[in-house]
Amino acid sequence: MLQQTQVERVVPRYLDWLERWPSADELAAAAVADVIRAWQGLGYNRRGLNLHRAAQRVATEGWPDDLTELPGVGPYTAAAIGNFALGLDVLPVDTNVSRVQERTGHRFSPAAAQALMDLGATVCLARIPRCGVSSIRSAAEAVPLRRLVPATPRADVAPRDGVGASAGRPRPRGGPVPRPGRPRPAGPLWNESHTAVTVSDTRPWDNVTGA
DNA sequence: GTCCTGGCAT
DNA sequence: ATGCCAGGAC
């Protein structure tokens, strides 16, 4: 349900759904019409169908080792389930996480998954990154601007004025604004779900990688 | 890589 | 109103 649909929109539907079909077996036994009806309003009805089919497959053949064998489950969802539900050491790389990794040039450990997602969704935004309040700004500043801009300007994207519109070239993806590095105080990397991730004085992102 | 599809930014 | 975004399927 969380594919392309916001959490707030999903939660109540998810709870109702689990109350009605608490297990894969029970969902598998449901009529397709009921599944579609229960999915109404969540968008992308194909996901509801896929979920139903996946449940049927799990009901008959059990859980596959490779979750991407289930219909509707790609690399991202498989990694997300692996990390959050199964406790596996895999990093779900959605566009938010991908963007953070690109801008910092850093490979984060799976332990940082939740913090990375929230950072990418609330601070390291695609269009207008809030570098001023970013806890990993210093990491992004260490990345040459060259690596954040396409080699050739995209013809289909008009140049924009803005804070980072440097070098007379558009920054279609809105990369972070590089500045001279400067010491920053230690503090929590991120806040909302109280994930116990803290940063150090020198290389903040290393604490997050577990390196 | 392209297409799908609903949400979202502009 | 228009175009971009984003996981998945192919």
Side-chain angles (χ1 to χ4, degrees):
Chain A
M1 289 182 186
L2 288 170
Q3 295 170 359
Q4 271 95 12
T5 304
Q6 293 177 147
V7 178
E8 316 81 74
R9 203 175 293 275
V10 163
V11 168
R13 309 298 300 272
Y14 170 74
L15 295 175
D16 290 346
W17 188 281
L18 276 192
E19 191 174 340
R20 183 168 185 180
W21 298 300
S23 69
D25 281 350
E26 285 159 287
L27 178 58
V32 192
D34 289 335
V35 173
I36 297 299
R37 211 173 354 256
W39 195 269
Q40 286 302 316
L42 285 173
Y44 293 92
N45 292 342
R46 172 177 302 239
R47 295 176 302 158
L49 289 175
N50 283 153
L51 184 54
H52 189 222
R53 296 188 187 116
Q56 292 180 150
R57 189 193 153 141
V58 169
T60 58
E61 302 176 33
W63 291 94
D65 290 333
D66 178 8
L67 262 27
T68 64
E69 289 176 14
L70 299 175
V73 179
Y76 169 74
T77 302
I81 294 172
N83 187 308
F84 297 126
L86 307 178
L88 301 180
D89 201 36
V90 289
L91 178 66
V93 181
D94 62 7
T95 56
N96 287 334
V97 172
S98 174
R99 186 173 56 252
V100 172
Q101 293 199 132
E102 281 181 17
R103 288 177 176 173
T104 58
H106 205 261
R107 278 2 217 189
F108 290 86
S109 97
Q114 188 63 64
L116 279 177
M117 288 179 163
D118 290 320
L119 188 77
T122 64
V123 176
C124 196
L125 304 174
R127 290 178 162 90
I128 311 167
R130 303 170 63 193
C131 306
V133 297
S134 174
S135 54
I136 58 168
R137 184 186 63 235
S138 57
E141 288 168 345
V143 176
L145 182 57
R146 262 190 311 286
R147 290 174 51 182
L148 302 174
V149 212
T152 49
R154 283 169 49 181
D156 59 326
V157 175
R160 301 183 192 204
D161 295 333
V163 194
S166 56
R169 178 178 290 183
R171 298 187 307 120
R173 306 297 290 251
V177 183
R179 288 181 212 174
R182 104 182 68 99
R184 48 172 303 289
L189 171 63
W190 162 87
N191 45 63
E192 208 157 322
S193 90
H194 315 296
T195 295
V197 178
T198 55
V199 294
S200 67
D201 300 304
T202 51
R203 300 177 32 125
W205 50 95
D206 276 354
N207 269 0
V208 186
T209 69

